Amino acid sequence: MDNTLVEKDRLHRPFIHDHPLSLVHLYRDNKYENSDKEDEDEHEDEEEFVEEGHHGGQCDMCKERIWSFHLCYYNCKSCDYSLHKFCAELPRTHENHPLDPGHRLEFRPPSSYERKCFVCNLEFKDVAFYYCEVCNEYMDIICATVSEHKVSHPSHPHQLVQMFGPIVSNCRACGGKHEGVFFQCITCHMFRISVDCALLPTKLLIQKHTYATFTHSHPLTLAYSFPYLDRKARYFPLCRVCAKGFHSNSHLWIYKCDKCRYYVHVGCATSKTPGSGKTFKNFKEDEHSNLLHCPFDDEGDNLLKRHMCNQKEFVGKQHDGEMLNHSSHQHPLILFDKQTSVDKKSISLHDPMKRTQLLCDGCVKPIMTVPFYKCSRYVDEQCCFVLHEWCTKLPTEVKDYVGHREHSLFLLPKVPSKFFGVFECDICRLQSNGFAYGCAKCEYYVDINCAFIPEEITHDAHPNHLLYKVNYLSHDLSNRFCKACRWSIRGWGFHCPTCDFYFHVGCVLLLPRVIKHKCDKHPLSLRYEPAENHITEYFCEICEDEFNPWVWFYHCTTCAQSMHTDCAPLILQCEQATHVTYHETVYRFLNVKFGGTIKIKGHPHRLTFVQGLESDGRCIRCRWLLQYKMIFKCLECDFALDYECASILHLSIDSV
């Protein structure tokens, strides 16, 4: 078949180029439809759809673009001259045109005189047109051929036609406002998409469209809807570029990865602005010399350690003697500077992999390095009191504390008014029985870590932006949700005013970057979003419950194992205790050191302070279930009380 237009065609066609024109086919790339013998993965980084830049340029007759969905066009090989196929094949006369029924239109070549189209009422020149002698009116070539600008788009069951002239309108595909060419459904009319969205590639690599600001190893596929049930099944994911949710209108298009839980707004995935969506640094390092960078490296690192190690007083007084009389303890403390045997008794450092636990009685954090202080009676197992070296150097008073400026806060080895020394920190809202800074007059207490929270920090989950310490009162019902646990912010937290992101104090300060756990021989890393190449659902290796991967979790890439952040540290306390509630990311008893005993009047045996398990049943007194609670349990019989009931019944207490 001859696919050229030559000079002889002038007898039948109104206006043809002097040179032969060849028919050029525009088509969608079929690289993904190669032989079955080829490996599909070889082409995963290809782009399947002809992109916006892949078209025939501009039609020299109607001056409109030749889009990829026009399928083919005529082109002169010897010069830069192109025509829509339907423009090149226009008749010299048009009988009974739908926009001028019953009349005869005569073709006229482009003219430098300005004329007005009676259809769109716009002036034109240098564009071919049709003339009606009966009406003495002109119709520009664009209006004459508008019915030929049709799109059969996979996103919609009906055919779309180009609307008259450029307009400003909301796009049904992306939900945004566009200015320019739109296509509208001739059947349901309300469906209208911009040409920008109509030409979106069906597959793309996001790094090519965002100038490598955002990267993903797999091609993203264009999806023409994101139904509510699909979003719910995926725990309502956030866009990986802008970190915002997807619109409740499920018809809006998205890009998604078929191999990972990776979802992106179409506008975010195809942004042409360099660095669009990237959190550029909004502060200077030299202006924040002691800026705290979170998360902390591992379980042996924490805020108090960083704070005290930066204090000149502490640096100058390290190792100030092997024997120390400390106000927090009735016995002398001995500096232990190496892991060795003392009186045929060894002291093992904290190591979850070996199931050994050594928690500081001051900050209730693991002791994973030497030196540290231990009670002189430790080797006889009469008193297992231990302190980090920095916990022995704490200041006795904190003045002008931001959460309680009315009075100074004083260091308290045990909060005297609280049963067994357990109090709720007024900053992180976690219970603790370690050292506290408090005001007895106002009954205001904070754990010693929270006493030194800085005014601003940075975090890997939201890099390059400062996070500022803020306090939101409990009666403030504004919708502020933590990016870590997706739970509402009440009380103290951190805020990025640039992006309006929020984080709980505990989420950013109490979850280390890397942990070790007996369930996996490899270190587990803290993740802020679903892992790449993880297709299956996420189940916690400890409690075996399915969980939301958009809430922070610990993950081993090598073994593809994951666990709740609040299940992961339970090796420190009780291996049988598991995830408590769906919104907690920090283990609720992370700041409680279990152990020690009390004597309750009316029971012959001493009760041990432990965490309640399902097997412990119900409280002897109130009959509430003891699981997930602090309890006092008799190790010789089935007698057990929850913390509240034990505090009421301690008529005769002899604590050890």
Side-chain angles (χ1 to χ4, degrees), residues 283 291-294 303 453-459 462 465-469 494 503 505 508-509:
F283 66 95
L291 185 62
L292 184 69
H293 298 281
C294 295
L303 174 61
I453 293 178
E455 293 299 311
E456 54 195 22
I457 65 169
T458 63
H459 199 283
H462 191 56
H465 280 187
L466 286 176
L467 303 178
Y468 297 91
K469 186 168 67 172
F494 284 95
F503 300 88
V505 164
V508 295
L509 296 179

PDB file of all heavy atoms in Angstrom, residues 283 291-294 303 453-459 462 465-469 494 503 505 508-509:
ATOM      1  N   PHE A 283      18.249  24.745  57.554  1.00  0.00           N
ATOM      2  CA  PHE A 283      19.049  25.289  58.652  1.00  0.00           C
ATOM      3  C   PHE A 283      20.526  25.117  58.306  1.00  0.00           C
ATOM      4  O   PHE A 283      20.889  24.361  57.396  1.00  0.00           O
ATOM      5  CB  PHE A 283      18.732  24.592  59.973  1.00  0.00           C
ATOM      6  CG  PHE A 283      19.139  23.134  60.006  1.00  0.00           C
ATOM      7  CD1 PHE A 283      20.358  22.744  60.545  1.00  0.00           C
ATOM      8  CD2 PHE A 283      18.292  22.152  59.502  1.00  0.00           C
ATOM      9  CE1 PHE A 283      20.735  21.419  60.570  1.00  0.00           C
ATOM     10  CE2 PHE A 283      18.661  20.821  59.520  1.00  0.00           C
ATOM     11  CZ  PHE A 283      19.885  20.456  60.061  1.00  0.00           C
ATOM     12  N   LEU A 291      23.423  20.244  67.829  1.00  0.00           N
ATOM     13  CA  LEU A 291      22.136  19.735  67.358  1.00  0.00           C
ATOM     14  C   LEU A 291      22.082  18.214  67.495  1.00  0.00           C
ATOM     15  O   LEU A 291      23.008  17.500  67.084  1.00  0.00           O
ATOM     16  CB  LEU A 291      21.917  20.140  65.906  1.00  0.00           C
ATOM     17  CG  LEU A 291      20.554  19.794  65.295  1.00  0.00           C
ATOM     18  CD1 LEU A 291      19.430  20.516  66.034  1.00  0.00           C
ATOM     19  CD2 LEU A 291      20.531  20.146  63.819  1.00  0.00           C
ATOM     20  N   LEU A 292      21.002  17.730  68.082  1.00  0.00           N
ATOM     21  CA  LEU A 292      20.827  16.294  68.292  1.00  0.00           C
ATOM     22  C   LEU A 292      20.238  15.659  67.039  1.00  0.00           C
ATOM     23  O   LEU A 292      19.181  16.070  66.556  1.00  0.00           O
ATOM     24  CB  LEU A 292      19.895  16.052  69.484  1.00  0.00           C
ATOM     25  CG  LEU A 292      19.694  14.597  69.897  1.00  0.00           C
ATOM     26  CD1 LEU A 292      20.967  14.027  70.487  1.00  0.00           C
ATOM     27  CD2 LEU A 292      18.554  14.487  70.899  1.00  0.00           C
ATOM     28  N   HIS A 293      20.939  14.646  66.513  1.00  0.00           N
ATOM     29  CA  HIS A 293      20.477  13.929  65.327  1.00  0.00           C
ATOM     30  C   HIS A 293      19.915  12.573  65.758  1.00  0.00           C
ATOM     31  O   HIS A 293      20.626  11.765  66.360  1.00  0.00           O
ATOM     32  CB  HIS A 293      21.621  13.741  64.332  1.00  0.00           C
ATOM     33  CG  HIS A 293      22.186  15.022  63.805  1.00  0.00           C
ATOM     34  ND1 HIS A 293      21.577  15.758  62.808  1.00  0.00           N
ATOM     35  CD2 HIS A 293      23.290  15.717  64.162  1.00  0.00           C
ATOM     36  CE1 HIS A 293      22.302  16.838  62.566  1.00  0.00           C
ATOM     37  NE2 HIS A 293      23.342  16.840  63.375  1.00  0.00           N
ATOM     38  N   CYS A 294      18.674  12.327  65.458  1.00  0.00           N
ATOM     39  CA  CYS A 294      18.000  11.078  65.821  1.00  0.00           C
ATOM     40  C   CYS A 294      17.696  10.277  64.552  1.00  0.00           C
ATOM     41  O   CYS A 294      17.681  10.824  63.457  1.00  0.00           O
ATOM     42  CB  CYS A 294      16.703  11.375  66.573  1.00  0.00           C
ATOM     43  SG  CYS A 294      16.968  12.181  68.166  1.00  0.00           S
ATOM     44  N   LEU A 303      19.524   9.765  74.951  1.00  0.00           N
ATOM     45  CA  LEU A 303      19.602  11.210  75.127  1.00  0.00           C
ATOM     46  C   LEU A 303      20.441  11.599  76.335  1.00  0.00           C
ATOM     47  O   LEU A 303      21.269  12.516  76.265  1.00  0.00           O
ATOM     48  CB  LEU A 303      18.183  11.775  75.265  1.00  0.00           C
ATOM     49  CG  LEU A 303      18.057  13.260  75.589  1.00  0.00           C
ATOM     50  CD1 LEU A 303      18.683  14.116  74.505  1.00  0.00           C
ATOM     51  CD2 LEU A 303      16.588  13.632  75.777  1.00  0.00           C
ATOM     52  N   ILE A 453      15.537  17.079  77.291  1.00  0.00           N
ATOM     53  CA  ILE A 453      15.133  17.121  75.882  1.00  0.00           C
ATOM     54  C   ILE A 453      15.469  18.486  75.296  1.00  0.00           C
ATOM     55  O   ILE A 453      15.079  19.517  75.845  1.00  0.00           O
ATOM     56  CB  ILE A 453      13.624  16.840  75.747  1.00  0.00           C
ATOM     57  CG1 ILE A 453      13.321  15.397  76.140  1.00  0.00           C
ATOM     58  CG2 ILE A 453      13.150  17.080  74.312  1.00  0.00           C
ATOM     59  CD1 ILE A 453      11.860  15.048  76.095  1.00  0.00           C
ATOM     60  N   PRO A 454      16.180  18.536  74.176  1.00  0.00           N
ATOM     61  CA  PRO A 454      16.529  19.825  73.571  1.00  0.00           C
ATOM     62  C   PRO A 454      15.329  20.489  72.906  1.00  0.00           C
ATOM     63  O   PRO A 454      14.300  19.851  72.657  1.00  0.00           O
ATOM     64  CB  PRO A 454      17.590  19.444  72.539  1.00  0.00           C
ATOM     65  CG  PRO A 454      17.285  18.027  72.190  1.00  0.00           C
ATOM     66  CD  PRO A 454      16.735  17.391  73.438  1.00  0.00           C
ATOM     67  N   GLU A 455      15.476  21.753  72.609  1.00  0.00           N
ATOM     68  CA  GLU A 455      14.397  22.506  71.984  1.00  0.00           C
ATOM     69  C   GLU A 455      14.203  22.141  70.512  1.00  0.00           C
ATOM     70  O   GLU A 455      13.131  22.331  69.957  1.00  0.00           O
ATOM     71  CB  GLU A 455      14.668  24.013  72.102  1.00  0.00           C
ATOM     72  CG  GLU A 455      14.615  24.544  73.522  1.00  0.00           C
ATOM     73  CD  GLU A 455      13.250  24.333  74.152  1.00  0.00           C
ATOM     74  OE1 GLU A 455      12.236  24.669  73.501  1.00  0.00           O
ATOM     75  OE2 GLU A 455      13.185  23.822  75.286  1.00  0.00           O
ATOM     76  N   GLU A 456      15.253  21.622  69.882  1.00  0.00           N
ATOM     77  CA  GLU A 456      15.158  21.270  68.464  1.00  0.00           C
ATOM     78  C   GLU A 456      16.050  20.076  68.170  1.00  0.00           C
ATOM     79  O   GLU A 456      17.105  19.903  68.790  1.00  0.00           O
ATOM     80  CB  GLU A 456      15.544  22.459  67.583  1.00  0.00           C
ATOM     81  CG  GLU A 456      16.900  23.051  67.918  1.00  0.00           C
ATOM     82  CD  GLU A 456      17.123  24.417  67.319  1.00  0.00           C
ATOM     83  OE1 GLU A 456      16.124  25.089  67.008  1.00  0.00           O
ATOM     84  OE2 GLU A 456      18.296  24.810  67.160  1.00  0.00           O
ATOM     85  N   ILE A 457      15.613  19.241  67.239  1.00  0.00           N
ATOM     86  CA  ILE A 457      16.362  18.060  66.833  1.00  0.00           C
ATOM     87  C   ILE A 457      16.179  17.860  65.327  1.00  0.00           C
ATOM     88  O   ILE A 457      15.395  18.564  64.679  1.00  0.00           O
ATOM     89  CB  ILE A 457      15.876  16.788  67.573  1.00  0.00           C
ATOM     90  CG1 ILE A 457      14.426  16.462  67.168  1.00  0.00           C
ATOM     91  CG2 ILE A 457      16.004  16.927  69.079  1.00  0.00           C
ATOM     92  CD1 ILE A 457      13.954  15.095  67.636  1.00  0.00           C
ATOM     93  N   THR A 458      16.894  16.888  64.772  1.00  0.00           N
ATOM     94  CA  THR A 458      16.606  16.399  63.424  1.00  0.00           C
ATOM     95  C   THR A 458      16.384  14.893  63.527  1.00  0.00           C
ATOM     96  O   THR A 458      16.807  14.250  64.490  1.00  0.00           O
ATOM     97  CB  THR A 458      17.750  16.680  62.439  1.00  0.00           C
ATOM     98  OG1 THR A 458      18.928  15.975  62.873  1.00  0.00           O
ATOM     99  CG2 THR A 458      18.029  18.164  62.339  1.00  0.00           C
ATOM    100  N   HIS A 459      15.736  14.335  62.521  1.00  0.00           N
ATOM    101  CA  HIS A 459      15.459  12.896  62.527  1.00  0.00           C
ATOM    102  C   HIS A 459      15.521  12.364  61.103  1.00  0.00           C
ATOM    103  O   HIS A 459      15.101  13.035  60.157  1.00  0.00           O
ATOM    104  CB  HIS A 459      14.077  12.610  63.136  1.00  0.00           C
ATOM    105  CG  HIS A 459      13.905  11.193  63.582  1.00  0.00           C
ATOM    106  ND1 HIS A 459      13.671  10.160  62.703  1.00  0.00           N
ATOM    107  CD2 HIS A 459      13.945  10.629  64.827  1.00  0.00           C
ATOM    108  CE1 HIS A 459      13.557   9.025  63.380  1.00  0.00           C
ATOM    109  NE2 HIS A 459      13.730   9.280  64.669  1.00  0.00           N
ATOM    110  N   HIS A 462      12.558  12.441  58.730  1.00  0.00           N
ATOM    111  CA  HIS A 462      12.208  13.714  58.081  1.00  0.00           C
ATOM    112  C   HIS A 462      13.491  14.529  57.934  1.00  0.00           C
ATOM    113  O   HIS A 462      13.687  15.526  58.621  1.00  0.00           O
ATOM    114  CB  HIS A 462      11.160  14.465  58.901  1.00  0.00           C
ATOM    115  CG  HIS A 462      10.554  15.634  58.197  1.00  0.00           C
ATOM    116  ND1 HIS A 462       9.926  15.533  56.979  1.00  0.00           N
ATOM    117  CD2 HIS A 462      10.490  16.949  58.527  1.00  0.00           C
ATOM    118  CE1 HIS A 462       9.490  16.722  56.597  1.00  0.00           C
ATOM    119  NE2 HIS A 462       9.835  17.598  57.520  1.00  0.00           N
ATOM    120  N   HIS A 465      15.189  18.922  57.872  1.00  0.00           N
ATOM    121  CA  HIS A 465      14.337  19.923  58.503  1.00  0.00           C
ATOM    122  C   HIS A 465      14.450  19.836  60.014  1.00  0.00           C
ATOM    123  O   HIS A 465      14.487  18.742  60.586  1.00  0.00           O
ATOM    124  CB  HIS A 465      12.873  19.737  58.090  1.00  0.00           C
ATOM    125  CG  HIS A 465      12.562  20.307  56.748  1.00  0.00           C
ATOM    126  ND1 HIS A 465      11.279  20.378  56.255  1.00  0.00           N
ATOM    127  CD2 HIS A 465      13.360  20.859  55.802  1.00  0.00           C
ATOM    128  CE1 HIS A 465      11.302  20.937  55.053  1.00  0.00           C
ATOM    129  NE2 HIS A 465      12.555  21.229  54.766  1.00  0.00           N
ATOM    130  N   LEU A 466      14.481  20.988  60.652  1.00  0.00           N
ATOM    131  CA  LEU A 466      14.494  21.026  62.106  1.00  0.00           C
ATOM    132  C   LEU A 466      13.124  20.665  62.655  1.00  0.00           C
ATOM    133  O   LEU A 466      12.088  21.070  62.109  1.00  0.00           O
ATOM    134  CB  LEU A 466      14.884  22.420  62.594  1.00  0.00           C
ATOM    135  CG  LEU A 466      16.357  22.829  62.454  1.00  0.00           C
ATOM    136  CD1 LEU A 466      16.530  24.275  62.909  1.00  0.00           C
ATOM    137  CD2 LEU A 466      17.260  21.910  63.256  1.00  0.00           C
ATOM    138  N   LEU A 467      13.131  19.897  63.741  1.00  0.00           N
ATOM    139  CA  LEU A 467      11.905  19.585  64.461  1.00  0.00           C
ATOM    140  C   LEU A 467      11.959  20.320  65.794  1.00  0.00           C
ATOM    141  O   LEU A 467      12.941  20.195  66.538  1.00  0.00           O
ATOM    142  CB  LEU A 467      11.782  18.074  64.698  1.00  0.00           C
ATOM    143  CG  LEU A 467      11.823  17.181  63.456  1.00  0.00           C
ATOM    144  CD1 LEU A 467      11.744  15.712  63.861  1.00  0.00           C
ATOM    145  CD2 LEU A 467      10.703  17.527  62.487  1.00  0.00           C
ATOM    146  N   TYR A 468      10.915  21.076  66.095  1.00  0.00           N
ATOM    147  CA  TYR A 468      10.890  21.916  67.285  1.00  0.00           C
ATOM    148  C   TYR A 468       9.999  21.300  68.356  1.00  0.00           C
ATOM    149  O   TYR A 468       8.905  20.790  68.059  1.00  0.00           O
ATOM    150  CB  TYR A 468      10.388  23.320  66.943  1.00  0.00           C
ATOM    151  CG  TYR A 468      11.286  24.066  65.979  1.00  0.00           C
ATOM    152  CD1 TYR A 468      11.072  23.988  64.605  1.00  0.00           C
ATOM    153  CD2 TYR A 468      12.353  24.833  66.437  1.00  0.00           C
ATOM    154  CE1 TYR A 468      11.895  24.660  63.712  1.00  0.00           C
ATOM    155  CE2 TYR A 468      13.176  25.521  65.559  1.00  0.00           C
ATOM    156  CZ  TYR A 468      12.946  25.423  64.198  1.00  0.00           C
ATOM    157  OH  TYR A 468      13.767  26.093  63.308  1.00  0.00           O
ATOM    158  N   LYS A 469      10.456  21.375  69.605  1.00  0.00           N
ATOM    159  CA  LYS A 469       9.673  20.843  70.721  1.00  0.00           C
ATOM    160  C   LYS A 469       8.440  21.708  70.944  1.00  0.00           C
ATOM    161  O   LYS A 469       8.522  22.944  70.981  1.00  0.00           O
ATOM    162  CB  LYS A 469      10.523  20.809  71.987  1.00  0.00           C
ATOM    163  CG  LYS A 469       9.833  20.139  73.180  1.00  0.00           C
ATOM    164  CD  LYS A 469      10.801  19.867  74.314  1.00  0.00           C
ATOM    165  CE  LYS A 469      11.306  21.136  74.952  1.00  0.00           C
ATOM    166  NZ  LYS A 469      12.108  20.873  76.170  1.00  0.00           N
ATOM    167  N   PHE A 494       7.239  16.867  68.834  1.00  0.00           N
ATOM    168  CA  PHE A 494       8.098  17.652  67.957  1.00  0.00           C
ATOM    169  C   PHE A 494       7.335  17.977  66.679  1.00  0.00           C
ATOM    170  O   PHE A 494       6.528  17.168  66.201  1.00  0.00           O
ATOM    171  CB  PHE A 494       9.388  16.899  67.631  1.00  0.00           C
ATOM    172  CG  PHE A 494      10.377  16.895  68.756  1.00  0.00           C
ATOM    173  CD1 PHE A 494      10.425  15.832  69.651  1.00  0.00           C
ATOM    174  CD2 PHE A 494      11.251  17.955  68.934  1.00  0.00           C
ATOM    175  CE1 PHE A 494      11.330  15.825  70.698  1.00  0.00           C
ATOM    176  CE2 PHE A 494      12.160  17.959  69.978  1.00  0.00           C
ATOM    177  CZ  PHE A 494      12.197  16.901  70.859  1.00  0.00           C
ATOM    178  N   PHE A 503       5.531  14.571  65.594  1.00  0.00           N
ATOM    179  CA  PHE A 503       6.076  13.330  66.125  1.00  0.00           C
ATOM    180  C   PHE A 503       5.929  13.337  67.641  1.00  0.00           C
ATOM    181  O   PHE A 503       6.160  14.354  68.290  1.00  0.00           O
ATOM    182  CB  PHE A 503       7.565  13.182  65.787  1.00  0.00           C
ATOM    183  CG  PHE A 503       7.867  13.156  64.318  1.00  0.00           C
ATOM    184  CD1 PHE A 503       8.088  14.333  63.620  1.00  0.00           C
ATOM    185  CD2 PHE A 503       7.937  11.957  63.632  1.00  0.00           C
ATOM    186  CE1 PHE A 503       8.372  14.320  62.267  1.00  0.00           C
ATOM    187  CE2 PHE A 503       8.211  11.930  62.275  1.00  0.00           C
ATOM    188  CZ  PHE A 503       8.430  13.117  61.597  1.00  0.00           C
ATOM    189  N   VAL A 505       7.215  12.584  71.376  1.00  0.00           N
ATOM    190  CA  VAL A 505       8.538  12.597  71.986  1.00  0.00           C
ATOM    191  C   VAL A 505       9.110  11.182  72.042  1.00  0.00           C
ATOM    192  O   VAL A 505      10.270  10.936  71.679  1.00  0.00           O
ATOM    193  CB  VAL A 505       8.478  13.215  73.398  1.00  0.00           C
ATOM    194  CG1 VAL A 505       9.735  12.887  74.194  1.00  0.00           C
ATOM    195  CG2 VAL A 505       8.307  14.723  73.315  1.00  0.00           C
ATOM    196  N   VAL A 508      10.418   9.579  68.581  1.00  0.00           N
ATOM    197  CA  VAL A 508      11.682  10.036  67.989  1.00  0.00           C
ATOM    198  C   VAL A 508      12.881   9.820  68.909  1.00  0.00           C
ATOM    199  O   VAL A 508      14.018   9.728  68.436  1.00  0.00           O
ATOM    200  CB  VAL A 508      11.601  11.524  67.583  1.00  0.00           C
ATOM    201  CG1 VAL A 508      10.599  11.731  66.478  1.00  0.00           C
ATOM    202  CG2 VAL A 508      11.287  12.418  68.757  1.00  0.00           C
ATOM    203  N   LEU A 509      12.664   9.717  70.225  1.00  0.00           N
ATOM    204  CA  LEU A 509      13.788   9.638  71.156  1.00  0.00           C
ATOM    205  C   LEU A 509      14.011   8.248  71.752  1.00  0.00           C
ATOM    206  O   LEU A 509      15.093   7.979  72.275  1.00  0.00           O
ATOM    207  CB  LEU A 509      13.600  10.636  72.303  1.00  0.00           C
ATOM    208  CG  LEU A 509      13.596  12.124  71.924  1.00  0.00           C
ATOM    209  CD1 LEU A 509      13.386  12.977  73.163  1.00  0.00           C
ATOM    210  CD2 LEU A 509      14.887  12.517  71.226  1.00  0.00           C
TER     211      LEU A 509
END
